[in-house]
Amino acid sequence: MPNSADRGRRTREQLIDAAAALVGEVGWGAVTTRLVAERAGVNAALVHYHFSSVSELLATAALQHATRILAESADALRETPPAEGVERVFADLSRFTGTDPESLLLTEAFLAAHRLPELREGLSALVTDFRARVADWLRASGVQDADAVALLLSAALDGLVLHRALDPSVDPRAVAGPFRRLVTG
């Protein structure tokens, strides 16, 4: 039988998952305590028991999802040669349509980060860590200007998700070739 700490952790995760899903459906600014509680199947008071505000809940949800996505991407590269890794990253990016819940959550989080310093700091740390991990991977494979190439790659990934939101015909795999040439000299 779960103890109260386990129930609390489970409730917190339910709230985070509900908030993340709602951002994609109604937008960051329209997510309310009531909506999150209804989606999570809990009493609305529990939202404010676990989080000081809806903004804190949304920031937590965005950072948790961004952490997972960036870690998966960086980890997938670790044992892969650069040319193959670039192909893989752009192929994996195809799952983000720009209008799927994860894309919308991250896009809205980037916008909200301009108003929420804690979110900006958290996203900045995640993106900086991702670029550093990519640069280390490239450097270990002998790629020149690894830091600059990692910056270009991460900016291209973000930009492609935004472009796909506006034009679903954009295929991220189309730029894999130029990036492959960039990392193979």
Side-chain angles (χ1 to χ4, degrees):
M1 181 170 185
N3 63 30
S4 62
D6 291 336
R7 284 190 304 275
R9 277 190 292 278
R10 188 174 47 246
T11 298
R12 183 177 170 83
E13 288 306 311
Q14 287 173 283
L15 293 169
I16 290 169
D17 291 343
L22 285 165
V23 169
E25 293 171 24
V26 301
W28 189 282
V31 175
T32 64
T33 300
R34 183 184 57 76
L35 283 174
V36 172
E38 285 176 5
R39 176 62 59 91
V42 301
N43 183 300
L46 287 174
V47 174
H48 291 290
Y49 176 80
H50 288 279
F51 300 95
S52 64
S53 66
V54 173
S55 291
E56 180 192 355
L57 169 57
L58 294 175
T60 300
L63 290 170
Q64 184 174 320
H65 283 269
T67 298
R68 181 184 50 77
I69 291 166
L70 292 175
E72 285 172 1
S73 294
D75 289 346
L77 296 174
R78 198 174 340 166
E79 303 298 324
T80 309
E84 185 181 320
V86 165
E87 293 281 345
R88 183 175 183 174
V89 165
F90 286 109
D92 288 348
L93 190 64
S94 296
R95 74 182 168 114
F96 298 103
T97 64
T99 57
D100 64 279
E102 284 185 313
S103 296
L104 293 170
L105 175 61
L106 295 176
T107 300
E108 295 244 5
F110 272 86
L111 293 172
H114 293 286
R115 296 178 304 282
L116 302 171
E118 300 84 20
L119 179 57
R120 181 175 48 250
E121 290 169 14
L123 286 173
S124 176
L126 288 174
V127 170
T128 300
D129 178 65
F130 176 76
R131 282 195 319 256
R133 290 176 70 182
V134 171
D136 289 345
W137 166 68
L138 292 168
R139 198 174 294 105
S141 297
V143 173
Q144 291 187 351
D145 301 319
D147 291 318
V149 173
L151 175 59
L152 280 170
L153 181 59
S154 62
L157 296 172
D158 292 339
L160 285 165
V161 171
L162 292 174
H163 281 255
R164 284 186 64 136
L166 299 172
D167 179 0
S169 72
V170 169
D171 184 355
R173 294 171 290 204
V175 299
F179 270 94
R180 187 179 53 251
R181 287 189 295 278
L182 187 62
V183 301
T184 58

